[in-house]
Amino acid sequence: MATHMSRCRTWSRVQRFGIAAYRKYSSSGGGYPNISLSAPLPGIPKPVFASVDGQEKYETRITTLENGLKVASQNKFGQFCTVGVLVNSGSRHEAKYPSGIAHFLEKLAFSSTAQFGSKDEILLTLEKHGGICDCQTSRDTTMYAVSAEVKGLDTVVSLLSDAVLQPRLLDEEIEMTRMAVRFELEDLNMRPDPEPLLTEMIHAAAYRGNTVGLPRFCPADNVDKIDKKVLHSYLRNYYCPERMVLAGVGIEHEQLVECARKYLLNVKPVWGTSSVANVDLSVAQYTGGIIKMEKDMSDVSLGPTPIPELTHIMIGLESCSFLEDDFIPFAVLNMMMGGGGSFSAGGPGKGMFTRLYLNVLNRHHWMYNATSYHHSYEDSGLLCIHASADPRQVREMVEIITREFIQMAGNAGEMELERAKTQLKSMLMMNLESRPVIFEDVGRQVLSTGKRKLPHELCDLISNVTASDIKRVTTKMMRSKPAVAALGDLTEMPSYEHIQAALSSKDGRLPRMYRLFR
């Protein structure tokens, strides 16, 4: 039987390709190793490849309703959609309020509303459409998002309207949020990864007491000060339609506009409306400075393979806002610096050819981490390098980082610049394959600029960055005062004045210290 089947398969191949081709290309034929991989096989129809006309098939469409609310959508193939409301509100707007309101609102999101008695009711309603919900706050944006089946769009927008404009904010919910915030603050100080805490510290040092320098996490002293009255006062000023965007990915624009008109046009919020919104329009003032936190890091991660005691340093300089043309060269510079942990695995795609790997982690085995970060806001930005090492080698580590900053102003090699640009474009395009990421990109761009730059436009801007652009933005950045955050055993930590002197020198070296007794 098996022999018969084999003969049938052979005969079908002979019929398809012809006897000569079968003899030449069959696995038993002598000509098998000489098959050209670049020449087409005889008898096979010519392939038809997909072509790109240079334009996205689905462009972002934007409509502004009568009350000032913007509706933005991007269609995408699939039976699921991501829809959400983005509000121009975050920790940077809390200058006139106790810090921590945005943190509280994030935890209180999707709790009981005028229409739903509890969070469980909301989740059960979403489950009928295979949906999930989430709320995230940053320093300048609050984002309520739902991913669900396209067929449930009407329910989703109705639920979002209720969650954003009609929350009950019951006393027991606020008390539960206080417990959740206290737990998160405790966890923040105990977790082995210090990056969230260092990011908080570097912002506080760079923008001392203003806008993006205000705490993103609720300070422990303010947990009991925030109540329903304070929250309503804040929401009355910041949760108004002209400060909001309803963004959707994977749905028809007309359908989303129709739902927005139905549920978000003439809805009166539960906190009422004020005739004159008292909005904080402060512009970020970069100050520079240092914030230190002496902390015993010896028992952060115990267990069979404990993390050794480390001191963490972050040094930053002012870059630019995401609205400026220099934002793209700074993004390329950040990608060129790259870096990561000393135990990262992978090849060029993982950033192994970035400067912080080649010049720092590969040459100094005692350094556990060296990573570049770029934080950008509507009126300022911060490019910083985070490094970790043994407490006894802190001074040497700081000097290595200051030298890297000085070398940024040198000429970028053609190969490393092309690699950084290619890596940035590839990261951008890969991230924008994910529906929630497209949603966030559409929402944030429309909220801050009123329009959206499409991926191919961004890729063109990245391609146009030259070595002289990198040199120009770096030279401008090096004129600003440094912002420094230090965490751990800081016995060997150099002074702020010495770090400033190193960043002003030609080679980035710290001033020499002479001691009579060591």
Side-chain angles (χ1 to χ4, degrees), residues 252-313:
E252 295 290 339
H253 186 70
E254 290 75 17
Q255 207 180 343
L256 188 63
V257 171
E258 188 186 322
C259 290
R261 288 187 185 282
K262 190 174 172 184
Y263 296 111
L264 289 160
L265 191 53
N266 297 311
V267 180
K268 193 179 179 188
V270 72
W271 47 81
T273 52
S274 60
S275 52
V276 181
N278 187 10
V279 173
D280 179 28
L281 298 172
S282 308
V283 175
Q285 301 295 316
Y286 182 86
T287 59
I290 185 167
I291 287 187
K292 296 180 180 180
M293 189 186 284
E294 286 270 0
K295 191 178 171 191
D296 179 17
M297 306 282 279
S298 56
D299 58 351
V300 166
S301 174
L302 301 172
T305 52
I307 295 174
E309 184 183 355
L310 299 173
T311 295
H312 303 274
I313 307 290

Side-chain angles (χ1 to χ4, degrees), residues 484-505:
V484 182
L487 177 69
D489 179 352
L490 307 177
T491 316
E492 295 293 317
M493 175 78 184
S495 68
Y496 179 75
E497 290 71 25
H498 279 191
I499 294 171
Q500 206 170 352
L503 288 167
S504 305
S505 67

